[in-house]
Amino acid sequence: MNIQTLLNTRIQNAMVAAGGPEGSPAIVRQSAKVQFGDYQANGIMGVAKKLKMNPRDFAQNVLEHLDLTDISDKVDIAGPGFINIFLKPEWMAQEIRRVLNDARLDVQQVSQPQTIVVDYSSPNLAKEMHVGHLRSTVIGDSVVRTLEFLGHHVIRQNHVGDWGTQFGMLLAYMERLRQESSEISMVLSDLEIFYRDAKKCFDEDESFAVRARELVVALQSGDKQCLALWNEFIDISLTHCEETYKMLGVSLKREHVMPESAYNDDLASVVTELNHQGLLTESKGAQCVFMEEFANKEGEITPVIVQKTGGGFLYSTTDLAALRFRQHTLGFDRGLYFVDARQSLHFQQIFTLGRKAGFVKPETSLEHMPFGTVMGRDGKPFKTRSGGVAKLSALLEEAQERAYTLVSSKNPDMAEEELKNIGRVVGIASVKYADLSKNRTSDYVFNWDQMLSFEGNTAPYLLYAYSRIASIVKRSETELSTIEGVISLSSIQERALAVRLLQFSEALEQVANDGMPHFMCTYLYDLAGVFMSFYEACPILTAEPEVKASRLLLAINTASTLKKGLELLGIETLERM
Ligand code: ARG
C-alpha cells in the first residue's frame, strides 16, 4: 500500500469533479509538522489560479467531492488552500495487519515491469579496486535490489575497463617475469604493486617500453599468445574484484561482466553508421561529432571524438556501441549509469548522440546517476596515511578490525567466533551505510569515528536498534501466529509509529525513481527513532495482555521493516550484538 499514491489519485479525481482540468497534480506529500496532519496536498493553489478562483473556495469545492472517510478522520483546509489529511487509526491498524501477514510487507509489484540496465561498479582492471569504486558499487547494488524487489527486470552490466594502452605495459611485464620464471599468480596477488613495478620499467627502460608498444599492437590485431597472456591477467584481476564484491556483500557475479573489449568488433561499424548519417566531421585527422547542444557561450563546441588519428577507438566509441547493444540486444526501457560526476559531460554527449544516431529508441530513458567524491579530512580526495590511493579491500579489512575491537570491548563475555562475525557485519555495514546515507550527488568525508559510532544516522545505530527490537520480541516468548486481537493506536507514540511503518513503500519508490538510497537510510533512521520514543512511552512486556499483544505487533512490524530496508540497501542484520 502506498498512501501517497492513494491520496494523490483520490484528490486528483476530486479536483476534476470540482471543475479542475484533467491531469493537474494533487501534489500530496508527507506533512512536515504534526499540526499539518500526516499528509498535505499542495496542488489546489495552482489549479485555482488557472480557474481564476479563490484557492480556499476551490479547496472547499474539492472537499465536497472528496470522500476519504475510510482512511481519514479529519481533513482540513489550511493557509492559502492546502489540504491537510489526518489518517484514521482504525484504518492504519488494519493496514498494519496486512503488512504483518505478508513477506513483501504489503509492497505491491509494479503493474508494468520495465527492463532496466544498471551499469555500475565498472572498475578498470589494470589496477585494483580503490575507494573511488565504493560509491558506484554499493549505490548501484542497492538500487538494483530495490528495482528487483519492485518487480522490474534488471540487467546488471559491469562495464569493466579491460582494454587500452596500459595493458601493453602490463603484458610486457608479465612476459619479463615469466622469462625470469617467477610465479605469475604470486606477483599478481597485489595488482597495485604489479602496476607500479611495470610502470617503473616502462618509464626507465627503453627496450621495455618498445616491447610494451609492440604488445599493444599485437593484442589489438588478435595475436593468440598475446591474447592468452591478457586473458590470464584479466582473469586474475576479475578474481580480485569478486573477492571485494563478496566481502562487501554485493550481488555482482562474473556473468554480469560486460567488458569494454566485448565491443571491439562493433566499434568500426559505430563509426561507419555515424558517417552514413552525416554526423561525422574530420578534425585534425580524428573523426568527431560536433553537436550544437554542447556549444559554450562563445559558440565553441566540445566534440565527441570517436576515432583518433591513426584509427584507434575511444572510451566514447565503446559507450556508443554499448548503448546500441543495450537497446537492440537487451531491449532496455531504462538505462542507469552509476558513474562519477566528473563524467557528466561524457554521458550527456553519448546519450544525445546515441539518440541522434538512432541507437536508442526515443522512449528509452537514459539516466546518468552521478556521485560525488569520497574526501579525506584534509578536504582532498581520500588517501591512505602514506598518501597512496586507498585500496578498497584493505579499507574493508580495516573496517572489520575496527568494528571487532569496538564490539569486543562492549561484550567481553561473548564467544570469539560470534565477536568475529559481528565485527565483520558491523564493519562492512558501517562503510556501506556511511556512503549510502549521504546524498548521492555530494562529496563526503570518510571518517572512521563517525561511521562506527552507535549514535546518529549510522549502521551501528540501526543494527543495534534492530537487534534490540528482535530481542524484545524474542523475550516476549509469543508466537507471532498466536497473537490475536486488534492493534490499538491510542497514544501519540503508537500512532506516530504506525504512520511511519506504513510509509515504507514511499521510501522504496523514491530510491527506485531517483536512484538515491539515502532516502531509504533516512527513512530507516527515522523509523528507529520513532520506535525508541514509542518504546519509552509504551512498555511492551509488562503491559496488560491485550495491550501487550498490540504493541508487540508494532514491534514485530518495526523489526521486519528495518530488516527488509537494510536488506535492500545490501546490509546484513544481526539478531544479537
Ligand atoms: N571504467 C570506467 C572508469 O573507471 C567507468 C565505466 C562506467 N561505465 C560506462 N559505461 N562508461 O572510469
Side-chain angles (χ1 to χ4, degrees):
M1 159 63 56
N2 186 320
I3 303 174
Q4 201 179 10
T5 314
L6 181 78
L7 291 174
N8 255 318
T9 316
R10 295 244 194 130
I11 298 176
Q12 205 165 332
N13 290 343
M15 287 188 349
V16 173
E22 288 288 339
S24 321
I27 321 182
V28 175
R29 306 237 164 83
Q30 296 173 11
S31 297
K33 291 197 176 121
V34 273
Q35 62 266 37
F36 300 150
D38 300 304
Y39 285 85
Q40 186 171 67
N42 302 342
I44 296 288
M45 283 81 80
V47 176
K49 201 171 168 194
K50 275 190 212 150
L51 297 174
K52 300 199 166 56
M53 260 183 95
N54 172 314
R56 285 191 71 104
D57 291 344
F58 181 58
Q60 195 54 53
N61 286 354
V62 172
L63 286 202
E64 274 154 32
H65 292 91
L66 181 65
D67 182 10
L68 292 177
T69 43
D70 51 341
I71 52 182
S72 163
D73 52 11
K74 187 168 153 203
V75 182
D76 280 349
I77 298 174
F82 297 112
I83 297 185
N84 293 343
I85 299 129
F86 297 77
L87 299 173
K88 194 151 105 181
E90 298 76 26
W91 179 77
M92 289 196 278
Q94 166 203 321
E95 288 303 304
I96 288 199
R97 265 283 176 199
R98 298 218 326 216
V99 177
L100 279 164
N101 295 330
D102 180 10
R104 291 185 53 85
L105 305 179
D106 203 32
V107 176
Q108 256 105 58
Q109 307 228 14
V110 288
S111 51
Q112 283 162 325
Q114 291 182 304
T115 296
I116 305 179
V117 165
V118 184
D119 182 319
Y120 72 111
S121 193
S122 310
N124 287 331
L125 297 182
K127 292 186 176 184
E128 238 161 280
M129 288 180 78
H130 56 83
V131 68
H133 297 112
L134 179 69
R135 307 217 69 189
S136 176
T137 307
V138 304
I139 299 175
D141 204 54
S142 95
V143 173
V144 160
R145 287 166 190 263
T146 306
L147 292 169
E148 279 184 338
F149 181 67
L150 287 172
H152 292 291
H153 173 47
V154 178
I155 305 176
R156 295 163 175 78
Q157 292 282 279
N158 193 355
H159 189 92
V160 300
D162 65 342
W163 206 248
T165 46
Q166 74 270 52
F167 287 94
M169 174 185 95
L170 297 170
L171 297 188
Y173 195 57
M174 272 173 93
E175 199 179 60
R176 169 172 292 189
L177 292 171
R178 192 142 282 170
Q179 277 155 11
E180 292 165 2
S181 68
S182 314
E183 183 57 68
I184 294 285
S185 63
M186 282 293 292
V187 209
L188 285 177
S189 67
D190 191 319
L191 280 187
E192 283 313 299
I193 298 177
F194 186 86
Y195 189 94
R196 198 191 57 206
D197 294 349
K199 180 89 170 58
K200 194 156 180 276
C201 289
F202 187 81
D203 292 339
E204 290 170 5
D205 179 345
E206 187 44 36
S207 66
F208 181 91
V210 169
R211 181 62 188 148
R213 285 188 207 105
E214 273 170 21
L215 284 172
V216 176
V217 178
L219 184 65
Q220 284 172 349
S221 54
D223 176 85
K224 286 255 157 44
Q225 259 178 317
C226 199
L227 276 173
L229 207 58
W230 170 78
N231 264 317
E232 196 179 335
F233 181 90
I234 295 301
D235 183 55
I236 293 175
S237 183
L238 277 174
T239 308
H240 285 293
C241 293
E242 281 161 355
E243 282 161 11
T244 305
Y245 295 151
K246 188 155 178 252
M247 221 192 301
L248 268 176
V250 157
S251 65
L252 281 170
K253 299 279 168 329
R254 194 62 78 110
E255 72 252 32
H256 305 126
V257 173
M258 186 62 188
E260 288 184 2
S261 65
Y263 299 103
N264 283 351
D265 293 346
D266 301 343
L267 302 178
S269 82
V270 164
V271 176
T272 315
E273 181 83 28
L274 294 174
N275 193 26
H276 276 322
Q277 310 210 16
L279 289 160
L280 284 191
T281 310
E282 192 173 309
S283 171
K284 296 180 198 125
Q287 296 301 323
C288 304
V289 183
F290 288 85
M291 293 179 285
E292 294 293 332
E293 292 89 330
F294 299 96
N296 64 13
K297 281 195 249 58
E298 284 73 44
E300 296 152 2
I301 297 176
T302 315
V304 183
I305 308 172
V306 292
Q307 190 167 21
K308 289 188 280 193
T309 326
F313 300 107
L314 301 96
Y315 184 56
S316 296
T317 330
T318 309
D319 257 325
L320 287 166
L323 261 186
R324 199 169 61 170
F325 169 77
R326 289 167 187 186
Q327 185 69 75
H328 292 172
T329 309
L330 303 178
F332 67 166
D333 303 305
R334 192 177 174 206
L336 309 182
Y337 291 71
F338 289 90
V339 189
D340 197 302
R342 284 168 284 199
Q343 295 191 26
S344 287
L345 178 62
H346 165 77
F347 284 109
Q348 282 172 37
Q349 291 189 315
I350 293 305
F351 295 165
T352 310
L353 181 51
R355 288 192 194 283
K356 278 194 205 291
F359 292 167
V360 274
K361 293 187 188 158
E363 64 272 25
T364 302
S365 164
L366 298 172
E367 303 163 47
H368 176 212
M369 299 280 176
F371 51 79
T373 307
V374 184
M375 307 294 270
R377 294 217 220 180
D378 55 1
K380 299 199 190 106
F382 183 69
K383 294 258 157 65
T384 57
R385 237 163 286 148
S386 57
V389 220
K391 265 212 289 186
L392 193 49
S393 56
L395 207 70
L396 296 174
E397 296 287 358
E398 182 169 350
Q400 296 177 63
E401 273 159 37
R402 283 179 184 260
Y404 168 79
T405 313
L406 199 69
V407 291
S408 309
S409 68
K410 283 188 194 273
N411 302 296
D413 302 327
M414 206 179 255
E416 186 59 16
E417 206 180 318
E418 188 171 0
L419 283 174
K420 277 254 147 44
N421 187 49
I422 299 178
R424 178 186 64 81
V425 173
V426 174
I428 298 296
S430 298
V431 174
K432 288 179 91 169
Y433 192 85
D435 196 302
L436 293 166
S437 59
K438 309 294 187 311
N439 186 322
R440 169 165 58 69
T441 54
S442 23
D443 296 344
Y444 78 88
V445 175
F446 192 93
N447 180 336
W448 285 120
D449 296 333
Q450 192 260 319
M451 68 179 77
L452 285 162
S453 166
F454 277 78
E455 272 150 49
N457 188 9
T458 65
Y461 170 81
L462 277 180
L463 290 176
Y464 183 65
Y466 172 77
S467 72
R468 242 183 96 186
I469 305 171
S471 102
I472 295 167
V473 174
K474 204 166 156 209
R475 269 189 293 145
S476 78
E477 290 174 343
T478 329
E479 265 294 315
L480 169 60
S481 56
T482 65
I483 307 179
E484 296 284 332
V486 269
I487 297 174
S488 106
L489 305 173
S490 42
S491 70
I492 43 170
Q493 290 85 359
E494 286 165 315
R495 194 186 181 286
L497 179 58
V499 174
R500 265 283 168 270
L501 284 170
L502 293 175
Q503 291 171 336
F504 178 58
S505 68
E506 289 168 29
L508 261 174
E509 271 167 39
Q510 273 184 305
V511 177
N513 292 337
D514 302 347
M516 289 191 159
H518 77 275
F519 286 120
M520 178 55 77
C521 299
T522 309
Y523 168 78
L524 295 175
Y525 176 56
D526 212 43
L527 175 65
V530 173
F531 179 86
M532 290 310 163
S533 319
F534 152 81
Y535 190 53
E536 247 163 60
C538 309
I540 301 180
L541 300 179
T542 55
E544 293 299 316
E546 263 174 41
V547 181
K548 178 176 165 182
S550 165
R551 291 181 180 167
L552 208 49
L553 289 175
L554 289 174
I556 292 169
N557 196 340
T558 308
S560 41
T561 305
L562 286 175
K563 192 181 171 82
K564 187 46 118 194
L566 288 166
E567 181 191 312
L568 293 175
L569 289 172
I571 292 176
E572 259 182 78
T573 41
L574 294 158
E575 298 305 305
R576 191 168 97 128
M577 69 184 270

